[in-house]
């Protein structure tokens, strides 16, 4: 079975509560920015590159201690594909978004609205973990 490995970014701004960036994909679903890991690329580099390519945002601060991996199957042209996506959590002060051609819209949403807008349960689970990470007391 073919495998695809991608990396993505859960991006937020403090406004003052976290506001999360969701992208509206051409196929109709709402999700986080992500894309294929290129040969020799570290997943964190991929997540930053894809974020910049898909949104124009490059000024980010990666948060330590958050790295989540999704694993799922999907079908493309009748072929089953096993997909792995590694997600990172980052903060930005940038609010301007310049969408790539693969997206038809975007939204900065507070947690509850973002949770309601996300299309897939596994993405909602990622957002729950990201929000918990943001609100966790600092560890010493």
């Amino acid at each position: 079975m073919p495998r695809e490995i991608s990396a993505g970014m859960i991006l937020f701004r403090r406004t003052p509560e976290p506001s999360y960036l969701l992208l509206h994909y051409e196929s109709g679903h709402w999700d986080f920015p992500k894309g294929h890991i290129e040969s020799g690329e570290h997943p964190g580099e991929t997540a930053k590159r894809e974020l910049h390519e898909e949104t124009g945002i490059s000024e980010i601060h990666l948060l330590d201690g958050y790295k989540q991996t999704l694993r799922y199957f999907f079908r493309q042209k009748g072929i089953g594909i096993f997909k792995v996506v590694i997600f990172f959590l980052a903060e930005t002060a940038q609010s301007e978004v310049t969408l790539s051609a693969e997206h038809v819209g975007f939204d900065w949403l507070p947690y509850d609205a973002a949770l309601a807008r996300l299309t897939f349960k596994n993405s909602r689970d990622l957002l729950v973990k990201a929000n918990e990470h943001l609100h966790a007391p600092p560890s010493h």
Side-chain angles (χ1 to χ4, degrees), residues 63-137:
L63 273 69
D64 290 334
Y66 183 94
K67 182 176 159 186
Q68 297 290 327
T69 304
L70 289 184
R71 292 171 178 83
Y72 58 93
F73 293 94
F74 72 100
R75 294 189 91 62
Q76 190 170 45
K77 298 175 183 156
I79 298 169
I81 297 171
F82 178 62
K83 181 130 183 182
V84 176
V85 190
I86 302 160
F87 278 95
F88 299 89
L89 178 62
E91 183 174 4
T92 188
Q94 289 181 258
S95 58
E96 289 294 313
V97 173
T98 305
L99 285 177
S100 70
E102 61 188 295
H103 302 100
V104 294
F106 72 92
D107 219 341
W108 288 101
L109 296 170
Y111 175 71
D112 289 338
L115 204 56
R117 179 80 54 90
L118 284 165
T119 304
F120 303 114
K121 181 187 182 306
N122 56 12
S123 295
R124 290 192 295 272
D125 292 343
L126 285 175
L127 182 58
V128 168
K129 289 176 184 163
N131 199 60
E132 286 171 355
H133 185 79
L134 283 179
H135 292 90

Side-chain angles (χ1 to χ4, degrees), residues 4-6 11-12 15 17 21 37 39 50 52 54 57-60 69-71 75-76 85-86 92 95 99 103 117:
E4 284 185 13
I5 303 177
S6 294
L11 188 68
F12 71 96
T15 57
E17 282 301 304
L21 178 64
I37 295 175
S39 180
E50 287 289 339
H52 185 255
E54 295 182 2
I57 294 174
S58 58
E59 296 169 27
I60 64 166
T69 304
L70 289 184
R71 292 171 178 83
R75 294 189 91 62
Q76 190 170 45
V85 190
I86 302 160
T92 188
S95 58
L99 285 177
H103 302 100
R117 179 80 54 90

